[in-house]
Amino acid sequence: MSGGGVSLTVGGRRVFAGTGGRPFDASLPVVVLLHGAGMDHSVWAMQSRYLAHHERAVLALDLPGHGFSEGPPLRSIEEIADWSVAVLEAAGVERASFVGHSMGAVAALTAAARHPQRVERLALLGCASAMPVHPDLLAAAEANDPAAIEMITGWGHGARAHLGGQPLAGSWLTGQGRRLLERAAPGVLHADLAACNAWQEGEALAAEVACPVLLLIGAEDKMTPPKAGRKLGSLLRDCRIEVLDDCGHMLMTERPLETLEKLKSFL
């Protein structure tokens, strides 16, 4: 264990979690961050660092087969949800707030419905009650065709991210997105996208979630459009909806400071 991250064992396999630059302390309020398809813990770098330095214990997870965590990748959203709760067990944590993006958001939603005693609060970024994936994207990912990365990078960012003027000095959002997806092992991106595409239980699960929920929506999100996000919000009994302007699907990197402000006030 160190200030950079912690290594845990779940199901006999090594799991890495970023801790925001501070040693993990399970006595503090715990925040679990779950990334989207083909990504890893690094997408939460800005938010996880702030939270860890302001009285939170952070577990920004690398899902199996992603980043520094051993594979293979999990094959369903339900598996990811149950696995994330098993990580809490391994870390000696009883309850945590879950923050998820895209695939990680639907996994967090599923975890809150299946394990209500373990999820204290829920923040969902780029989420909807269904996550269909375009057949061309699925096919390209299955073939390990670089076109899949171009589709995700293109569809996943709003106009501002494509034109420059990035929020943090030295950042290149679309280029960094490509490099991150290119690091994934063959088959990982397809496994993630197939799990999202097969997930059909969103409406029923949303009705089971009892904890407070923050739903963050990108006004220019093409992958989970605002209309779909608002529909999900209407199904949740205790939901606060916030819309970020000039933002696509990658809320935590496109609008990192605004995303953090919303998370701070909610958590």
Side-chain angles (χ1 to χ4, degrees):
M1 183 183 296
S2 70
V6 60
S7 182
L8 303 167
T9 301
V10 177
R13 299 182 186 278
R14 185 172 67 87
V15 173
F16 177 83
T19 57
R22 294 184 68 87
F24 180 75
D25 181 355
S27 69
L28 295 173
V30 177
V31 181
V32 174
L33 299 111
L34 299 175
H35 62 76
M39 300 181 184
D40 64 26
H41 76 280
S42 64
V43 297
W44 301 108
M46 189 269 190
Q47 296 84 15
S48 63
R49 186 167 184 82
Y50 180 92
L51 293 170
H53 285 77
H54 290 81
E55 304 303 320
R56 295 290 187 275
V58 171
L59 292 172
L61 301 178
D62 281 345
L63 296 177
H66 301 70
F68 299 117
S69 291
E70 292 182 334
L74 302 175
R75 296 291 174 173
S76 73
I77 299 302
E78 292 79 10
E79 284 186 273
I80 297 172
D82 293 345
W83 174 88
S84 67
V85 172
V87 171
L88 294 185
E89 294 277 359
V93 175
E94 183 64 29
R95 287 169 60 81
S97 295
F98 276 58
V99 180
H101 170 248
S102 195
M103 180 183 73
V106 296
L109 175 67
T110 304
R114 290 165 69 96
H115 306 278
Q117 73 281 9
R118 309 308 295 270
V119 181
E120 187 171 0
R121 300 175 84 80
L122 190 61
L124 308 174
L125 287 66
C127 190
S129 58
M131 302 287 280
V133 178
H134 194 285
D136 291 348
L137 175 53
L138 268 179
E142 186 173 24
N144 294 306
D145 186 337
I149 293 173
E150 293 302 319
M151 290 182 212
I152 292 176
T153 304
W155 296 341
H157 291 88
R160 182 180 178 182
H162 285 282
L163 294 175
Q166 311 306 337
L168 299 179
S171 63
W172 176 29
L173 292 184
T174 55
Q176 291 167 351
R178 289 189 188 96
R179 298 294 88 78
L180 177 58
L181 291 167
E182 287 170 354
R183 290 209 303 263
V188 168
L189 181 58
H190 179 256
D192 291 352
L193 295 175
C196 289
N197 196 55
W199 187 68
Q200 302 291 334
E201 295 76 28
E203 293 190 11
L205 290 169
E208 297 296 322
V209 173
C211 67
V213 181
L214 170 66
L215 184 59
L216 284 184
I217 296 172
E220 299 177 6
D221 192 338
K222 299 181 181 69
M223 303 188 85
T224 51
K227 181 178 179 180
R230 291 185 183 279
K231 179 182 178 182
L232 172 62
S234 71
L235 301 171
L236 293 159
R237 69 186 73 175
D238 183 5
C239 181
R240 174 174 134 200
I241 298 176
E242 300 276 1
V243 179
L244 300 186
D245 295 330
D246 299 322
C247 186
H249 190 61
M250 295 296 298
L251 296 95
M252 63 284 192
T253 56
E254 290 184 67
R255 301 294 296 272
L257 295 175
E258 293 86 347
T259 296
L260 177 60
E261 286 301 318
K262 302 301 184 185
L263 291 176
K264 282 167 53 180
S265 64
F266 178 70
L267 296 174

